[in-house]
Each structure stands twice: as structure tokens, then as C-alpha cells.
């Protein structure tokens, strides 16, 4: 909807007459909102309306773009439909929520992550290590547990050389990540012992030339992942004539996939 003032246009969801104060986005979209509702939901808006005559002018210019403000105002206003979030916009939405101190934004973000788990899983699987660390940092900074869990899930299985870097070491969840990775390595070690059982050529296993178990264990310690396991273990174990190895590897592959799909626990009291 065109606005009489030059270069301004009105929000479709918050049109003229909807509210008693005008908030203008950085891309010149005007949102007509309820001042009392904004002030009630955000101490920042409450202070803003009470300083410098903003409440008298009935117009406030904000730094955020219209898409972010639309999401924020939908979150605040019970008459509006829930904001339509996506993986790309989520960090910007959370940053605006933190800036304006709107607790409902964190709740909405966590709820969206839970109810769109399959979509989130697909998008998270495409992230590289740097993007995954961003995800973990956003979850920690904005107090969104589900985001932290998704980030940790990716990092547990990542190669050691990519995980143990200075940037990640400053994370409040770094110690917990180390613990989770050690637990994952132990899980793989126990599975290897189960596969080997008594049905392996002991001479081949303990041979100084081969040292099969040590080699497989070391590989998993460097990258405790389904990918690493299923790439290295089958050929090596079959060459050692492990009894019933095909059936055991099939079981391992399913259990490994299920384990990597599950969200890890967070430290007790995290985010409280």
C-alpha cells in the first residue's frame, strides 16, 4: 500500500489504523503498531517511547529491515499469525529479539526449531564447520537450547583437526562438546569389541605389522562418525575373517545412523 509520504509504503499486516504509532524500517516500510503492546513486551520500546518525545511524534525510525520487523511485531501481537521463520533469517530474528529484550522471540525460535525438526536437520547437514560454530554461538548467545543441540550434533562427529580450533575453544559449551566426543569414541570402541568378539584371527589382530584394532580405534578417535566408520571398518574387518561380520556391520550401520540423528543432551542447568 502506497504511503502519502515520499518513498514510504505501508505494511500489509500492520496497515494505517491498525495501531497508534508508526515504526519505519530501514527499507522505508511503515508499521502501524499498538504502542502500549510494544511497551509491555519490550523494555527497550518502553524506554524509547518515553524519551525524546518519540511518543508525541507517533513515529519512530528503526535500524532493522522490514522483514525482521514484521517477524518481531508478529511475535508480539496476539492478533497476528505466528512469524514464518527459516534457517537463514533465524540469527537476525534472534539478534533483534535480544536487542529489544523480547523474551517471546527466544520461545518462538525454539518452538519453530522443534516443530520443523526435519527441515532443520536437512539445512544443518549442509553447514560447514564455520557455519556450524556460528549456529552453536547463536544458540548460546541468544539462549536457544535447540540451536545449541543442533550445533553440537554436527560437531560431535566432525574431524578433530576442524573442531579443536581457538574460536570454538572460547565457547561456553566447548568442555561439554569434548565430553560428548569422548563418549562417542567410547561407543565406537565398544561396538568394535562387539564385532570382533572371539571370531577373529588373533595373530592377525595382534600382529605388529597390522595392529588392526589400534588402527581402527585411532581413526574413530580422529573422526567419531558414521562416515568414517563405514568407510574404513568393513574392508578391514572382512580381511581379518571376523565371524558373521556382514550381519554385525548392518546392525552397526543402523545404530550409528540413529545415534547421529539424535540430539545430544545439554549440561544440566544450561540456559536456565
Amino acid at each position: 500500500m502506497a504511503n502519502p509520504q515520499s518513498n514510504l509504503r505501508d505494511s500489509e499486516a500492520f496497515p494505517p489504523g491498525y495501531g497508534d504509532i508508526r515504526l519505519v524500517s530501514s527499507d522505508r516500510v511503515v508499521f502501524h503498531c499498538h504502542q502500549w503492546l510494544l511497551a509491555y513486551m519490550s523494555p527497550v520500546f518502553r524506554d524509547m517511547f518515553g524519551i525524546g518525545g518519540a511518543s508525541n511524534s507517533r513515529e519512530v525510525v528503526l535500524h532493522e529491515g522490514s522483514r525482521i520487523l514484521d517477524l518481531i511485531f508478529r511475535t508480539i501481537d496476539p492478533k497476528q499469525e505466528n512469524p514464518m521463520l527459516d534457517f537463514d533469517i533465524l540469527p537476525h530474528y534472534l539478534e533483534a529479539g535480544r536487542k529489544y529484550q523480547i523474551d517471546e522471540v527466544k520461545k518462538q525460535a525454539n518452538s519453530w526449531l522443534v516443530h520443523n525438526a526435519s527441515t532443520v536437520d536437512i539445512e544443518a547437514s549442509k553447514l560447514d564447520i564455520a557455519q556450524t560454530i556460528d549456529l552453536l554461538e547463536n544458540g548460546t548467545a541468544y539462549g536457544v537450547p535447540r540451536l545449541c543441540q543442533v550445533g553440537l550434533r554436527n560437531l560431535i562427529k566432525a574431524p578433530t583437526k576442524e573442531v579443536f580450533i581457538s574460536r570454538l575453544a572460547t565457547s561456553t559449551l566447548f568442555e561439554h562438546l569434548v565430553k560428548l566426543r569422548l563418549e562417542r569414541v567410547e561407543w565406537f570402541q565398544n561396538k568394535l569389541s562387539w564385532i570382533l568378539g572371539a571370531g577373529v584371527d588373533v595373530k592377525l589382530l595382534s600382529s605388529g605389522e597390522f595392529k588392526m584394532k589400534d588402527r581402527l580405534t585411532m581413526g574413530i578417535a580422529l573422526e567419531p562418525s558414521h562416515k568414517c566408520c563405514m568407510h574404513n571398518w568393513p574392508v578391514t574387518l572382512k580381511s581379518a575373517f571376523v565371524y558373521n561380520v556382514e550381519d554385525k556391520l548392518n546392525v552397526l550401520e543402523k545404530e550409528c545412523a540413529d545415534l547421529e540423528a539424535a540430539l545430544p543432551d545439554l549440561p544440566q542447568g544450561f540456559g536456565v
Side-chain angles (χ1 to χ4, degrees), residues 148-195:
C148 294
Q149 289 177 297
V150 173
L152 285 171
R153 180 175 59 187
N154 279 14
L155 293 170
I156 290 171
K157 61 185 180 181
T160 299
K161 65 181 180 180
E162 297 182 8
V163 171
F164 289 91
I165 58 176
S166 57
R167 179 184 166 203
L168 185 55
T170 61
S171 169
T172 57
L173 286 173
F174 181 72
E175 185 176 339
H176 186 62
L177 172 61
V178 173
K179 173 178 174 289
L180 292 173
R181 284 177 65 90
L182 289 174
E183 290 174 352
R184 185 65 56 86
V185 170
E186 184 179 5
W187 184 88
F188 275 109
Q189 290 173 335
N190 290 336
K191 289 299 176 183
L192 180 58
S193 296
W194 166 70
I195 290 175

Side-chain angles (χ1 to χ4, degrees), residues 118-133:
S118 58
T119 300
V120 171
D121 289 350
I122 293 171
E123 293 301 317
S125 68
K126 301 175 184 177
L127 302 179
D128 60 25
I129 290 296
Q131 292 169 323
T132 300
I133 294 173

Side-chain angles (χ1 to χ4, degrees), residues 21 23 33-51 60 62 64 69 71-78 93-106:
I21 190 165
L23 296 117
C33 299
H34 298 289
Q35 180 177 340
W36 67 268
L37 182 58
L38 293 173
Y40 177 75
M41 295 295 290
S42 164
V44 175
F45 279 127
R46 184 167 62 247
D47 292 343
M48 187 184 299
F49 298 149
I51 297 175
V60 178
L62 302 175
E64 290 75 23
L69 291 180
L71 295 173
I72 292 295
F73 297 150
R74 286 178 184 274
T75 300
I76 290 174
D77 195 329
Y93 173 67
L94 289 167
E95 174 57 31
R98 180 170 67 169
K99 174 181 175 180
Y100 294 110
Q101 298 179 31
I102 303 170
D103 290 338
E104 193 61 31
V105 166
K106 292 188 292 185

